Amino acid sequence: MSGKLLVVLDPGHGGRSPGAVSRSGLREKEINMAICLAAYQALEGLAEVLLTRQGDENVTLAQRAALANAARADCFVSVHCNSSVDRRARGTETFCFPGSAAGRRLAVLLQQQLVRSLYLPDRGVKIARYAVLRQTRMPAALVEVAFLSNTVEEELLRDQVVRQNAGRALARGIGEFLGL
């Protein structure tokens, strides 16, 4: 490591776990990876960046947290797409672990940047005890970029430009959090 701040980006799911799958077959794991790669590129030169997975591979939740902990990351961001039985559900939401003031600040900055960039409804910052938030020892947030179960948002997530914008928005939020 070069002494730069270290960011761990977690493209949710992968391998046998596709995550949410839209009616047309769009798989969350592929969108998450594309968004993380865009964030990775936007952060290059500003911070060291590690991905919890390099391709379409199985990585457990515990392994994701352990990688970030072992690397002594300065922050951890897990990227996901939402899904609901209510196909009208829309928007972006971000989660942080209860009692983590730094995690909440990271989540707020990520949420603000995503909503500004994607123009989706702001579902807010929420508290959750997800494994990757609970098991990491650094400020951590989990973003749900948009709903794959909503046909309008599915089409947005299919668009490479939207994925790039989401990744750059995450990079801006991380940069603001870390003072880059």
Side-chain angles (χ1 to χ4, degrees):
M1 295 290 157
S2 67
K4 288 183 180 177
L5 294 172
L6 175 62
V7 176
V8 173
L9 297 174
D10 175 37
H13 303 286
R16 291 185 303 273
S17 172
V21 179
S22 73
R23 281 184 162 175
S24 69
L26 187 59
R27 295 183 299 180
E28 178 185 0
K29 66 180 180 178
E30 295 160 4
I31 298 163
N32 298 343
M33 181 58 87
I35 292 170
C36 281
L37 289 174
Y40 183 101
Q41 291 169 347
L43 287 165
E44 271 186 316
L46 301 174
E48 296 287 337
V49 184
L50 290 177
L51 295 172
T52 59
R53 63 181 176 95
Q54 303 302 309
D56 189 16
E57 58 198 297
N58 295 307
V59 183
T60 68
L61 298 174
Q63 288 170 327
R64 293 165 197 259
L67 180 144
N69 291 337
R72 297 177 184 243
D74 293 288
C75 71
F76 175 94
V77 176
S78 189
V79 177
H80 292 264
C81 297
N82 224 332
S83 185
S84 174
V85 293
D86 179 359
R87 299 215 179 267
R88 296 168 299 173
R90 299 190 64 208
T92 301
E93 59 191 354
T94 304
F95 295 87
C96 61
F97 192 72
S100 172
R104 178 160 184 79
R105 182 171 169 268
L106 173 62
V108 166
L109 293 169
L110 294 170
Q111 179 73 12
Q112 288 171 346
Q113 289 295 335
L114 283 168
V115 169
R116 279 185 204 138
S117 295
L118 301 178
Y119 305 104
L120 294 175
D122 184 348
R123 295 174 63 92
V125 171
K126 300 174 180 176
I127 300 297
R129 296 179 183 274
Y130 298 137
V132 293
L133 301 177
R134 188 177 64 248
Q135 295 174 10
T136 48
R137 293 192 294 258
M138 70 288 306
L142 184 146
V143 299
E144 295 278 5
V145 175
F147 278 82
L148 260 176
S149 53
N150 179 288
T151 55
V152 172
E153 292 190 3
E154 174 196 357
E155 282 309 307
L156 289 173
L157 291 167
R158 189 177 296 284
D159 187 334
Q160 197 59 29
V161 172
V162 171
R163 295 176 186 191
Q164 289 286 326
N165 287 343
R168 285 193 292 267
L170 291 176
R172 284 192 302 276
I174 292 166
E176 191 174 347
F177 176 76
L178 295 175
L180 302 176

Short mmCIF file of all heavy atoms in Angstrom, two decimals, residues 29-73:
data_model
loop_
_atom_site.label_atom_id
_atom_site.label_comp_id
_atom_site.label_asym_id
_atom_site.label_seq_id
_atom_site.Cartn_x
_atom_site.Cartn_y
_atom_site.Cartn_z
N LYS A 29 -26.18 -9.20 -9.77
CA LYS A 29 -24.74 -9.36 -9.58
C LYS A 29 -23.94 -8.68 -10.69
O LYS A 29 -22.86 -8.15 -10.44
CB LYS A 29 -24.35 -10.83 -9.46
CG LYS A 29 -24.56 -11.66 -10.72
CD LYS A 29 -24.15 -13.11 -10.48
CE LYS A 29 -24.36 -13.97 -11.72
NZ LYS A 29 -23.91 -15.35 -11.46
N GLU A 30 -24.46 -8.66 -11.91
CA GLU A 30 -23.76 -8.04 -13.03
C GLU A 30 -23.81 -6.51 -12.94
O GLU A 30 -22.83 -5.83 -13.23
CB GLU A 30 -24.36 -8.54 -14.35
CG GLU A 30 -24.13 -10.03 -14.55
CD GLU A 30 -25.08 -10.66 -15.54
OE1 GLU A 30 -25.90 -9.95 -16.15
OE2 GLU A 30 -25.00 -11.90 -15.68
N ILE A 31 -24.95 -5.99 -12.54
CA ILE A 31 -25.10 -4.54 -12.39
C ILE A 31 -24.19 -4.05 -11.26
O ILE A 31 -23.48 -3.04 -11.40
CB ILE A 31 -26.57 -4.18 -12.09
CG1 ILE A 31 -27.46 -4.60 -13.24
CG2 ILE A 31 -26.71 -2.68 -11.81
CD1 ILE A 31 -28.92 -4.66 -12.88
N ASN A 32 -24.20 -4.76 -10.14
CA ASN A 32 -23.37 -4.38 -9.00
C ASN A 32 -21.90 -4.31 -9.39
O ASN A 32 -21.19 -3.38 -8.99
CB ASN A 32 -23.54 -5.39 -7.85
CG ASN A 32 -24.96 -5.46 -7.32
OD1 ASN A 32 -25.77 -4.59 -7.56
ND2 ASN A 32 -25.25 -6.52 -6.60
N MET A 33 -21.44 -5.29 -10.17
CA MET A 33 -20.04 -5.29 -10.60
C MET A 33 -19.75 -4.10 -11.50
O MET A 33 -18.73 -3.42 -11.33
CB MET A 33 -19.70 -6.61 -11.31
CG MET A 33 -18.25 -6.67 -11.76
SD MET A 33 -17.02 -6.47 -10.44
CE MET A 33 -16.87 -8.15 -9.89
N ALA A 34 -20.62 -3.82 -12.44
CA ALA A 34 -20.41 -2.69 -13.36
C ALA A 34 -20.34 -1.36 -12.60
O ALA A 34 -19.49 -0.52 -12.88
CB ALA A 34 -21.51 -2.65 -14.41
N ILE A 35 -21.21 -1.18 -11.63
CA ILE A 35 -21.22 0.05 -10.83
C ILE A 35 -19.93 0.15 -10.01
O ILE A 35 -19.31 1.21 -9.94
CB ILE A 35 -22.48 0.12 -9.95
CG1 ILE A 35 -23.72 0.32 -10.83
CG2 ILE A 35 -22.36 1.24 -8.91
CD1 ILE A 35 -25.04 0.16 -10.10
N CYS A 36 -19.52 -0.96 -9.40
CA CYS A 36 -18.29 -0.95 -8.60
C CYS A 36 -17.06 -0.67 -9.47
O CYS A 36 -16.16 0.05 -9.05
CB CYS A 36 -18.12 -2.26 -7.85
SG CYS A 36 -19.15 -2.35 -6.36
N LEU A 37 -17.03 -1.23 -10.67
CA LEU A 37 -15.89 -0.96 -11.56
C LEU A 37 -15.85 0.51 -11.95
O LEU A 37 -14.76 1.10 -12.04
CB LEU A 37 -15.95 -1.87 -12.79
CG LEU A 37 -15.65 -3.34 -12.52
CD1 LEU A 37 -15.89 -4.17 -13.79
CD2 LEU A 37 -14.23 -3.53 -12.00
N ALA A 38 -17.00 1.12 -12.17
CA ALA A 38 -17.04 2.56 -12.49
C ALA A 38 -16.55 3.38 -11.29
O ALA A 38 -15.80 4.35 -11.46
CB ALA A 38 -18.45 2.97 -12.89
N ALA A 39 -16.96 2.99 -10.08
CA ALA A 39 -16.48 3.69 -8.88
C ALA A 39 -14.98 3.49 -8.72
O ALA A 39 -14.25 4.43 -8.38
CB ALA A 39 -17.23 3.19 -7.65
N TYR A 40 -14.51 2.28 -8.96
CA TYR A 40 -13.08 1.96 -8.88
C TYR A 40 -12.29 2.88 -9.80
O TYR A 40 -11.30 3.50 -9.39
CB TYR A 40 -12.90 0.49 -9.27
CG TYR A 40 -11.49 -0.02 -9.17
CD1 TYR A 40 -11.10 -0.79 -8.07
CD2 TYR A 40 -10.55 0.21 -10.16
CE1 TYR A 40 -9.82 -1.29 -7.96
CE2 TYR A 40 -9.26 -0.28 -10.06
CZ TYR A 40 -8.90 -1.03 -8.97
OH TYR A 40 -7.62 -1.51 -8.87
N GLN A 41 -12.74 2.99 -11.05
CA GLN A 41 -12.04 3.85 -12.02
C GLN A 41 -12.06 5.30 -11.59
O GLN A 41 -11.07 6.01 -11.73
CB GLN A 41 -12.67 3.68 -13.41
CG GLN A 41 -12.41 2.33 -14.01
CD GLN A 41 -13.24 2.06 -15.25
OE1 GLN A 41 -14.20 2.78 -15.54
NE2 GLN A 41 -12.91 1.01 -15.97
N ALA A 42 -13.17 5.75 -11.05
CA ALA A 42 -13.29 7.16 -10.63
C ALA A 42 -12.39 7.45 -9.42
O ALA A 42 -11.95 8.59 -9.25
CB ALA A 42 -14.74 7.49 -10.30
N LEU A 43 -12.12 6.45 -8.60
CA LEU A 43 -11.29 6.65 -7.40
C LEU A 43 -9.80 6.42 -7.66
O LEU A 43 -8.97 6.78 -6.82
CB LEU A 43 -11.76 5.71 -6.28
CG LEU A 43 -13.08 6.09 -5.62
CD1 LEU A 43 -13.62 4.92 -4.80
CD2 LEU A 43 -12.92 7.34 -4.77
N GLU A 44 -9.47 5.82 -8.81
CA GLU A 44 -8.07 5.54 -9.12
C GLU A 44 -7.24 6.81 -9.05
O GLU A 44 -7.65 7.86 -9.53
CB GLU A 44 -7.93 4.93 -10.52
CG GLU A 44 -8.03 3.44 -10.53
CD GLU A 44 -7.74 2.84 -11.89
OE1 GLU A 44 -8.25 3.37 -12.89
OE2 GLU A 44 -7.02 1.85 -11.93
N GLY A 45 -6.10 6.70 -8.41
CA GLY A 45 -5.22 7.85 -8.25
C GLY A 45 -5.53 8.68 -7.02
O GLY A 45 -4.69 9.44 -6.57
N LEU A 46 -6.73 8.54 -6.48
CA LEU A 46 -7.12 9.28 -5.28
C LEU A 46 -6.98 8.44 -4.03
O LEU A 46 -6.70 8.95 -2.95
CB LEU A 46 -8.57 9.76 -5.40
CG LEU A 46 -8.90 10.68 -6.57
CD1 LEU A 46 -10.39 10.93 -6.63
CD2 LEU A 46 -8.12 11.98 -6.44
N ALA A 47 -7.24 7.14 -4.17
CA ALA A 47 -7.21 6.21 -3.04
C ALA A 47 -6.83 4.83 -3.57
O ALA A 47 -6.95 4.56 -4.76
CB ALA A 47 -8.59 6.15 -2.37
N GLU A 48 -6.39 3.99 -2.65
CA GLU A 48 -6.24 2.57 -2.98
C GLU A 48 -7.64 1.98 -2.95
O GLU A 48 -8.44 2.32 -2.08
CB GLU A 48 -5.37 1.87 -1.95
CG GLU A 48 -3.95 2.36 -1.89
CD GLU A 48 -3.11 1.93 -3.08
OE1 GLU A 48 -3.45 0.93 -3.74
OE2 GLU A 48 -2.12 2.63 -3.37
N VAL A 49 -7.94 1.09 -3.89
CA VAL A 49 -9.27 0.50 -3.94
C VAL A 49 -9.14 -1.02 -4.09
O VAL A 49 -8.40 -1.49 -4.94
CB VAL A 49 -10.11 1.07 -5.11
CG1 VAL A 49 -11.53 0.51 -5.07
CG2 VAL A 49 -10.14 2.59 -5.07
N LEU A 50 -9.87 -1.74 -3.25
CA LEU A 50 -9.96 -3.19 -3.35
C LEU A 50 -11.40 -3.57 -3.64
O LEU A 50 -12.33 -2.95 -3.11
CB LEU A 50 -9.54 -3.86 -2.05
CG LEU A 50 -8.09 -3.81 -1.63
CD1 LEU A 50 -7.92 -4.48 -0.26
CD2 LEU A 50 -7.21 -4.48 -2.66
N LEU A 51 -11.58 -4.60 -4.46
CA LEU A 51 -12.90 -5.18 -4.70
C LEU A 51 -12.99 -6.49 -3.94
O LEU A 51 -12.01 -7.25 -3.88
CB LEU A 51 -13.11 -5.45 -6.19
CG LEU A 51 -13.16 -4.23 -7.10
CD1 LEU A 51 -13.16 -4.66 -8.57
CD2 LEU A 51 -14.38 -3.39 -6.81
N THR A 52 -14.15 -6.78 -3.37
CA THR A 52 -14.31 -8.03 -2.64
C THR A 52 -14.40 -9.23 -3.57
O THR A 52 -14.21 -10.37 -3.14
CB THR A 52 -15.55 -8.01 -1.74
OG1 THR A 52 -16.70 -7.79 -2.55
CG2 THR A 52 -15.43 -6.95 -0.66
N ARG A 53 -14.73 -8.99 -4.82
CA ARG A 53 -14.67 -10.05 -5.83
C ARG A 53 -14.18 -9.42 -7.13
O ARG A 53 -14.47 -8.26 -7.43
CB ARG A 53 -15.99 -10.79 -5.99
CG ARG A 53 -17.17 -9.96 -6.48
CD ARG A 53 -18.43 -10.84 -6.57
NE ARG A 53 -19.60 -10.07 -6.94
CZ ARG A 53 -20.04 -9.94 -8.20
NH1 ARG A 53 -19.41 -10.51 -9.21
NH2 ARG A 53 -21.12 -9.21 -8.44
N GLN A 54 -13.45 -10.23 -7.91
CA GLN A 54 -12.86 -9.74 -9.16
C GLN A 54 -13.71 -10.07 -10.38
O GLN A 54 -13.56 -9.46 -11.42
CB GLN A 54 -11.46 -10.33 -9.35
CG GLN A 54 -10.53 -10.03 -8.20
CD GLN A 54 -10.37 -8.54 -7.95
OE1 GLN A 54 -10.08 -7.79 -8.85
NE2 GLN A 54 -10.57 -8.14 -6.71
N GLY A 55 -14.58 -11.04 -10.24
CA GLY A 55 -15.42 -11.48 -11.34
C GLY A 55 -16.66 -12.14 -10.79
O GLY A 55 -17.10 -11.83 -9.69
N ASP A 56 -17.21 -13.08 -11.55
CA ASP A 56 -18.44 -13.75 -11.15
C ASP A 56 -18.09 -14.96 -10.28
O ASP A 56 -18.09 -16.09 -10.75
CB ASP A 56 -19.22 -14.17 -12.38
CG ASP A 56 -20.60 -14.67 -12.04
OD1 ASP A 56 -21.07 -14.42 -10.91
OD2 ASP A 56 -21.22 -15.33 -12.90
N GLU A 57 -17.74 -14.68 -9.04
CA GLU A 57 -17.29 -15.74 -8.14
C GLU A 57 -18.07 -15.71 -6.84
O GLU A 57 -18.69 -14.71 -6.50
CB GLU A 57 -15.80 -15.59 -7.88
CG GLU A 57 -15.44 -14.24 -7.28
CD GLU A 57 -13.96 -13.90 -7.40
OE1 GLU A 57 -13.16 -14.64 -6.82
OE2 GLU A 57 -13.65 -12.91 -8.07
N ASN A 58 -18.04 -16.85 -6.15
CA ASN A 58 -18.70 -16.96 -4.85
C ASN A 58 -17.79 -16.38 -3.77
O ASN A 58 -16.65 -16.81 -3.63
CB ASN A 58 -18.99 -18.42 -4.52
CG ASN A 58 -19.98 -19.02 -5.48
OD1 ASN A 58 -21.06 -18.48 -5.68
ND2 ASN A 58 -19.63 -20.13 -6.09
N VAL A 59 -18.29 -15.41 -3.03
CA VAL A 59 -17.58 -14.86 -1.89
C VAL A 59 -18.62 -14.72 -0.79
O VAL A 59 -19.65 -14.06 -0.98
CB VAL A 59 -16.95 -13.48 -2.21
CG1 VAL A 59 -16.16 -12.96 -1.02
CG2 VAL A 59 -16.07 -13.54 -3.46
N THR A 60 -18.36 -15.34 0.36
CA THR A 60 -19.34 -15.28 1.45
C THR A 60 -19.35 -13.87 2.05
O THR A 60 -18.41 -13.09 1.89
CB THR A 60 -19.01 -16.29 2.56
OG1 THR A 60 -17.80 -15.89 3.21
CG2 THR A 60 -18.89 -17.70 2.01
N LEU A 61 -20.41 -13.60 2.79
CA LEU A 61 -20.51 -12.31 3.48
C LEU A 61 -19.36 -12.17 4.48
O LEU A 61 -18.76 -11.10 4.61
CB LEU A 61 -21.86 -12.18 4.17
CG LEU A 61 -23.08 -12.22 3.24
CD1 LEU A 61 -24.37 -12.22 4.06
CD2 LEU A 61 -23.05 -11.07 2.26
N ALA A 62 -19.06 -13.24 5.19
CA ALA A 62 -17.96 -13.20 6.17
C ALA A 62 -16.62 -12.93 5.47
O ALA A 62 -15.79 -12.19 5.99
CB ALA A 62 -17.90 -14.51 6.95
N GLN A 63 -16.41 -13.53 4.30
CA GLN A 63 -15.16 -13.30 3.55
C GLN A 63 -15.06 -11.84 3.10
O GLN A 63 -13.97 -11.27 3.11
CB GLN A 63 -15.08 -14.23 2.34
CG GLN A 63 -14.83 -15.66 2.70
CD GLN A 63 -14.98 -16.60 1.51
OE1 GLN A 63 -15.80 -16.38 0.62
NE2 GLN A 63 -14.19 -17.68 1.51
N ARG A 64 -16.16 -11.25 2.73
CA ARG A 64 -16.15 -9.84 2.29
C ARG A 64 -15.72 -8.94 3.44
O ARG A 64 -14.85 -8.08 3.29
CB ARG A 64 -17.54 -9.45 1.77
CG ARG A 64 -17.92 -10.17 0.49
CD ARG A 64 -19.42 -10.04 0.19
NE ARG A 64 -19.84 -11.02 -0.78
CZ ARG A 64 -20.03 -10.79 -2.08
NH1 ARG A 64 -19.86 -9.59 -2.57
NH2 ARG A 64 -20.40 -11.75 -2.87
N ALA A 65 -16.32 -9.15 4.60
CA ALA A 65 -15.97 -8.35 5.78
C ALA A 65 -14.53 -8.63 6.21
O ALA A 65 -13.79 -7.70 6.55
CB ALA A 65 -16.94 -8.64 6.91
N ALA A 66 -14.13 -9.89 6.18
CA ALA A 66 -12.77 -10.25 6.60
C ALA A 66 -11.72 -9.61 5.71
O ALA A 66 -10.68 -9.15 6.20
CB ALA A 66 -12.61 -11.78 6.61
N LEU A 67 -11.98 -9.55 4.41
CA LEU A 67 -11.04 -8.90 3.48
C LEU A 67 -10.86 -7.43 3.87
O LEU A 67 -9.73 -6.94 3.96
CB LEU A 67 -11.55 -9.02 2.05
CG LEU A 67 -10.69 -8.38 0.98
CD1 LEU A 67 -10.72 -9.21 -0.29
CD2 LEU A 67 -11.12 -6.97 0.67
N ALA A 68 -11.96 -6.75 4.11
CA ALA A 68 -11.90 -5.33 4.48
C ALA A 68 -11.19 -5.14 5.81
O ALA A 68 -10.37 -4.22 5.97
CB ALA A 68 -13.31 -4.73 4.53
N ASN A 69 -11.49 -6.00 6.78
CA ASN A 69 -10.86 -5.90 8.10
C ASN A 69 -9.36 -6.17 8.02
O ASN A 69 -8.56 -5.44 8.61
CB ASN A 69 -11.53 -6.85 9.09
CG ASN A 69 -12.95 -6.42 9.44
OD1 ASN A 69 -13.31 -5.26 9.31
ND2 ASN A 69 -13.76 -7.38 9.85
N ALA A 70 -8.98 -7.21 7.28
CA ALA A 70 -7.56 -7.57 7.16
C ALA A 70 -6.77 -6.47 6.46
O ALA A 70 -5.61 -6.21 6.81
CB ALA A 70 -7.41 -8.89 6.42
N ALA A 71 -7.40 -5.82 5.50
CA ALA A 71 -6.74 -4.75 4.75
C ALA A 71 -6.71 -3.43 5.53
O ALA A 71 -6.05 -2.48 5.12
CB ALA A 71 -7.44 -4.53 3.41
N ARG A 72 -7.45 -3.39 6.64
CA ARG A 72 -7.58 -2.17 7.45
C ARG A 72 -8.11 -1.00 6.60
O ARG A 72 -7.55 0.10 6.59
CB ARG A 72 -6.27 -1.81 8.12
CG ARG A 72 -5.82 -2.85 9.09
CD ARG A 72 -4.49 -2.52 9.70
NE ARG A 72 -4.06 -3.61 10.55
CZ ARG A 72 -3.88 -3.50 11.85
NH1 ARG A 72 -4.09 -2.36 12.46
NH2 ARG A 72 -3.49 -4.53 12.55
N ALA A 73 -9.19 -1.28 5.91
CA ALA A 73 -9.80 -0.29 5.03
C ALA A 73 -10.29 0.92 5.82
O ALA A 73 -10.64 0.82 6.99
CB ALA A 73 -10.97 -0.91 4.27
#
